[in-house]
Structures are given as structure tokens and as C-alpha cells.
Amino acid sequence: MTEYLVIFHFSRLVRLFTILLCVVGAPLAASAGEWRALVIGIDAYQNVSPLKGAVNDAEDIAKTLKAAGVRDLQTFYDEEATRVRILSAWQGLIERSAQDDVLVLSYAGHGAQEKEWVAGSEADGHDEVFLLAGFDVSAPGNGERLRDDDIAAMLRAAGDRSVLVLADSCHSGTMTRSIDPRITRLGTRLIGLPPFENDLLRSQPLHPVLKDNQSAGSDLQEMSNVIYVGATVDGQVIPELMIAGEPRGALSWSFARGVEGRADLNKDGGISMEELTLFLQETVRVATEGRQTPSLTVGGGTRAAVLPRVQDNILDRGSVALTISASTDIALPVLNGLSKRHEGALQVVTDGSADLYWDVEEGDVLTKFGDVVLRKRAGNADRFAEVVSKWLFLSELYAISRDRQPVEGTLKPSVGHIPEGSPLKVGLTSEEGGYMAVFALEADGTIRLLAPDKRADPLGKDTKMEADAPYVLNLRAALPFGADHIVLIRSPKPMPQLVGVLSAMEGRPLDPSLAPNLLNLIGKSAEAVGITGVYTEPAG
């Protein structure tokens, strides 16, 4: 649980985190040119640890772009992804394109760092690297990589054309929260590299697409024609995840869902770059329970680019059942009973990939991300059932939120589990104003109505949300420990029926028989939805 210490208030002060998006006031005109794409996905690394979801990512992005009308599209999967092939394909893509075309470069696979080639050229002293399928530390395999200087030269070769770079890998950092060892996780998209004794790239001739485009200024964020979407900000390591029943990277999954239409926030039939970046930022954060925050940069010259969207639901994966497992077979009757009670929405698995794992002996419930979402309070079937009801409700709420405008959520401190008694802040920021209702789903499924609060705010000031002004909650970590979720619903008009239902449910665990009605009310009321997870633990 989190204690709610301070009256909730609006603030025009500095946001909790830097906002990476700068929204322009005028509508964006669609680009007159075509979209052309080069999509790379590598799981089967020959000399370093393999991945499981990068090819899934690349195939998903390729299918979605084709469905959106992108005709000039090349893909390289696993061993097909060699340095020479990629550079030659990019050169051909540029040669076939016109100046008003938009180029897409998508990479899913391992990232790494190596010591900078030019002293002082990088703030951290390291160049970032994409590793290709045949990469090895020793020559000639060490030539199978793309350095950040190579990527920058490729982008400069595009001239003034708008370029979208989607990089679902990581290069350095640590986990935002540690992973509980009881959970078997998939790999991370990060490889540590030793110094190269014989670096092939330092001796071999440059490819033509690179030769004439070398420059000391290789910072992608400084290129006005480039939209750069990285899987994570500096200092985070991204894990591969089970999403919709298969290994994935959250960024690529979110990008594909966005192009399917969910990123068309104003429903005008096209996806502007501002819409896309806002959608990705919030979808990745929510899908990873705050473990991953994308790095987003929109160059000034690319703002008029509009991505075509899929006009129907041919790529809609539909709903996927929430999976559960337990630490002992003795609990199987309980799991099977819950699965029967929530038929079609809940599935029992035994392969260690469950969305919710019940440690019966410890009384803990954990997620596939390696987080304890209820600590020491799931000692019997009823308590576990309440947690399951909460997460089934969250799954449905996430589905609703993806079809609504996002509300940006920030948490401070943003790293680690927050210990008992420690203060924290949750900030929720909407691009538009309106009326709102805010409630918490505590770790054990208890509902707390946070706004409006007639006792704390008899004048009803906290029913309104001001555009671009963070709505800040000052909280403190307290029992029950695990995962609380703060939910904000924004509507263009007051929501007395929704607020009334939430008030009636105040202080009680979510009743699964009432959850469909609550979700229906939210679906009817919500113009925008924001969800922020808060993870707490006992002191010491």
C-alpha cells in the first residue's frame, strides 16, 4: 500500500522527468512521399548468447509495415544479417528513394559498448554497437558489427530525407529494479565486450555508403531529419519479455501495435511523429511495469512525416489469457479452480513463464518480470484469488488504455523498490484538460478512491485536470508491500456514475463480479487513461 499524505494538487512546476516531446500546435501535413524500410532481427548469434524474441519483433514490424502500405521493404533475419548486406541494402534503399520519402531502419538484437575510437568524442568514453549474427570477439568475426559512427554515416547518406530509426537493443546500464531469483527470466539484449586485439573494422576499406559520409559529429540526436527511438534511456538494461504468449521486445511490440492504429490518437487516419512517440513512451512503460523507458528524439525536420496506418484489424492479436503457476503441486486444485471461475481469461501453466507465480510457502506473488507484487500476504487461496482478480482487471484496463489517449506517468524515485516509510511522488500529465477520477489498486487488490476526495477537497478542485500540468500525488510506502497501481481516468465531462461506483468499492478488495461493470463504466467515460505502477518493500 502507499499512504496518501498530502492533498493532491495541480502544479506547473518542473516535471518529475524531462519531457522529450515538443508538440506543435498546428495539424501536421502528411508526407507526399513513400515509406521504405530495412528491418533487421537477430536471435541466432553464432558466438555470443542467443536471443529468443528479436526475430519475432522484426517479423511483426515487417508485417505491420506491409499491411500499412509500405511496399519497398527488405528484411534480414539471423544469418542473413551481415554487415555488407545491410550496408548495401541501405545504399540501394536511398538510391531508389525520392527526397520526400521516409526511410525506416529497424534493428532488434544485441547491443554493446566498446572504447571510443576518437578520444573525447563520447561523453562516457564509449561507442555504442549493434552486434550482427556472425559477431565474434576475435577477427574476422569482430567485423560483424555496426558502430554508432556507422549508423550516423548511414543516416547522413540519406541526405535531407526523413529517417525513422527503431533500435530494440540496449548498450549499457543496470535494471531499474532487481529481478527476484525465483523467476526464470529470458535474456537481455546486452553483451559485454572485452578490448579487441585485432579489430577488422580498423583495417578493412569502408563501404561506399559510409566512405563519403564520415563526420566527427555522430550524435544521432543532433540530426534534424532523424527520429530516433531507442529501447531504453541510458542506464537501463532491457529484458526480453513474454508478450501475448511469445518472447518479445517491448519497444518493437508497441511500435507494431501503434502502426496498427492505436497510435492514431486523434483518429485522423494517419500517425504523426508526435503521436507515435507519445504512444511508444507510455505503452512501453506500462507494458514493462515501469522497467523500461524508451529514448525518444524527434528531429525538427521530420515533424511533417506521417506514418500510414493499418486500416483494419487484420493484425489484431486479440486477448490472451493471463497465466498462473505455483511453487507446489499442492496448489494445483486452487489454480484450476480459478481458471474455471475465470474461463477463457486465466490459464494454468507449468513451464516457468507465468504472468503470476504464487510462492505458497512464502506467501508471495511474483510477476514474470521478477517483481514481488504481494509480499507475505498470499498465504491462502482467498488472498491469492484477490491478487489474480486485480491483475485480470489490470489486463483489461491496459487493453482499454491502448485505445485511448495516453496520460504520461512518472515516478520518483524511479529506480528500485521503494522501502517502507519512504516518500515518493507520482506525476500524471495529460496533453488535454478535462475532468478526472483517480484511484489506486493496492497490492492485495484493495480499491482506494484518491480523487475526487470530498473530505480533503470539499470544493471539488481535484476533479479537473489542466493540460500539460502534472497532477502530483505525494505518497509514502506502507503495508501491504508489493505493487500498487495508480489509475487516472480523464473525461471531457464529469463522471458521477464512475465516481459513485468507486466510492462504493472504497477500502475493499476488487470483487470479480463487479469488475466487468467497472470496466464498462471506464470504457464509456474515458477519453484518456494513465496507469503507473509503484513497487514497495519492507524497510531493511
Side-chain angles (χ1 to χ4, degrees), residues 127-333:
D127 291 329
E128 296 182 346
V129 183
F130 294 148
L131 301 184
L132 306 179
F135 174 81
D136 196 357
V137 172
S138 59
N142 58 29
E144 288 301 310
R145 70 191 199 276
L146 291 171
R147 300 171 56 254
D148 53 11
D149 290 344
D150 297 328
I151 300 297
M154 292 168 66
L155 301 183
R156 279 192 294 273
D160 294 331
R161 298 169 182 84
S162 294
V163 183
L164 170 62
V165 180
L166 190 71
D168 206 338
S169 66
C170 54
H171 301 278
S172 65
T174 57
M175 291 289 183
T176 54
R177 295 188 299 271
S178 60
I179 292 178
D180 193 288
R182 287 172 286 184
I183 297 300
T184 302
R185 62 182 172 92
L186 301 176
T188 62
R189 296 186 178 180
L190 174 67
I191 292 291
L193 297 181
F196 299 130
E197 292 185 5
N198 180 17
D199 187 352
L200 187 66
L201 292 189
R202 291 182 179 270
S203 58
Q204 70 178 15
L206 285 174
H207 188 280
V209 79
L210 305 179
K211 187 175 182 181
D212 298 327
N213 294 286
Q214 296 297 299
S215 172
S218 60
D219 190 348
L220 305 186
Q221 285 75 11
E222 295 178 358
M223 296 185 181
S224 62
N225 63 316
V226 173
I227 304 157
Y228 179 83
V229 184
T232 180
V233 296
D234 290 341
Q236 292 180 2
V237 172
I238 63 166
E240 290 200 308
L241 308 171
M242 293 297 295
I243 302 178
E246 61 183 13
R248 297 301 307 269
L251 177 65
S252 297
W253 178 84
S254 298
F255 177 83
R257 304 293 76 74
V259 176
E260 285 177 355
R262 293 189 176 103
D264 183 11
L265 302 179
N266 62 7
K267 308 302 181 185
D268 66 352
I271 301 169
S272 72
M273 294 304 99
E274 278 79 9
E275 286 178 311
L276 178 64
T277 49
L278 179 59
F279 173 84
L280 289 177
Q281 187 176 41
E282 283 307 294
T283 304
V284 170
R285 182 186 63 80
V286 170
T288 62
E289 283 290 304
R291 283 188 171 273
Q292 186 177 335
T293 304
S295 172
L296 307 169
T297 302
V298 182
T302 63
R303 295 188 182 278
V306 176
L307 183 66
R309 56 159 290 183
V310 177
Q311 296 298 329
D312 53 36
N313 295 322
I314 61 172
L315 293 178
D316 191 353
R317 272 67 178 166
S319 60
V320 177
L322 188 78
T323 55
I324 54 175
S325 64
S327 61
T328 172
D329 290 343
I330 296 174
L332 279 176

